[in-house]
Amino acid sequence: LFLQVNNGGSYTNALSINNDTKATFASNVTTGGSILVNNLGSDKKIAFRRTGGNNFSIEHDASSLYFYNESTSTSCLRIANNSNATFGGTIDSGSITSTGVITTSTTFKSLNGSMLFFVPNVGEAMSIESNTGNVLINHTAGVSETKLYVEGSAMPETGDAASVEDMLTLYRYGSASVW
C-alpha cells in the first residue's frame, strides 16, 4: 500500500505499508501528541541507524529502559524501574552534584589539579594536592585554623639500610614540622 503526494507534477511515495504491516515514511514524522510503543515480544523498541556510525536502540525489558549500542553489544545507559541509573562508560562532565551518598567500587581520580572534598556548612574539608599527594585536612591557604597537614615521601625499598627518610611529617600552620 502506498500513499503518494503530488510533488510538482509527479507523484512521490510519502508512506509505504508492506505485507507484514511495516510502515516506511519518506521524510519526517511530526505528531501533535504522544508516540506510543506497545509491548512487543522483544526488547528493541526504537532503533537508530547512521551510515559510518554505530547502530543504537532504545529498549525496554521487564526491569529497565536502556540505550543499547548494537554495534558493540553494550548497554550505554540503563535506568531501572526503581529509578537507579547505570552508565556503561566514562561520564564526561564539568561537575557532578550528588544529594546522597556516592559509592564507588574502584577509585576516584583527578585529572587536573588537586582533589577536593567538601562538607556542608564547613566548605573544603580535605584536599589531596596534585603532583605531591600531600593531604591537607581543614586547610585554607593563609588561614591559621588548619587542623592537619600531612606530607610524606615514597616508601624506601625493604631492607635498604642506606635509605633512611622521613616517612610522615606533621605540620601546624605557620610553623616548622611538629614531629
Side-chain angles (χ1 to χ4, degrees):
L1 175 69
F2 298 100
L3 176 63
Q4 295 183 331
V5 294
N6 189 334
N7 190 10
S10 63
Y11 288 95
T12 304
N13 289 344
L15 169 64
S16 304
I17 303 175
N18 62 17
N19 292 345
D20 61 0
T21 68
K22 291 183 180 175
T24 302
F25 292 87
S27 188
N28 296 337
V29 176
T30 304
T31 177
S34 300
I35 297 175
L36 174 66
V37 180
N38 275 332
N39 192 20
L40 300 173
S42 63
D43 290 353
K44 188 181 303 177
K45 304 297 184 191
I46 301 173
F48 298 90
R49 305 289 180 250
R50 178 67 187 216
T51 302
N54 288 352
N55 295 327
F56 285 87
S57 59
I58 300 175
E59 307 193 10
H60 191 281
D61 59 22
S63 64
S64 61
L65 172 77
Y66 56 99
F67 292 80
Y68 188 71
N69 184 334
E70 296 174 0
S71 301
T72 63
S73 300
T74 56
S75 177
C76 305
L77 168 63
R78 182 176 293 269
I79 304 170
N81 289 343
N82 66 2
S83 297
N84 289 340
T86 303
F87 293 86
T90 301
I91 300 171
D92 249 349
S93 169
S95 64
I96 297 174
T97 301
S98 172
T99 57
V101 175
I102 298 174
T103 304
T104 179
S105 61
T106 56
T107 59
F108 286 103
K109 180 178 181 180
S110 175
L111 297 176
N112 297 309
S114 299
M115 185 173 287
L116 308 175
F117 297 87
F118 292 83
V119 175
N121 302 319
V122 173
E124 182 182 323
M126 183 176 86
S127 67
I128 302 172
E129 295 181 328
S130 63
N131 301 321
T132 65
N134 293 341
V135 177
L136 289 80
I137 299 174
N138 200 21
H139 172 80
T140 304
V143 177
S144 62
E145 288 87 25
T146 295
K147 302 293 189 256
L148 181 63
Y149 175 75
V150 181
E151 180 180 295
S153 58
M155 189 92 154
E157 292 290 325
T158 303
D160 184 0
S163 182
V164 178
E165 303 174 27
D166 288 340
M167 295 306 297
L168 178 65
T169 307
L170 301 178
Y171 290 92
R172 186 174 60 236
Y173 185 78
S175 69
S177 62
V178 177
W179 293 283

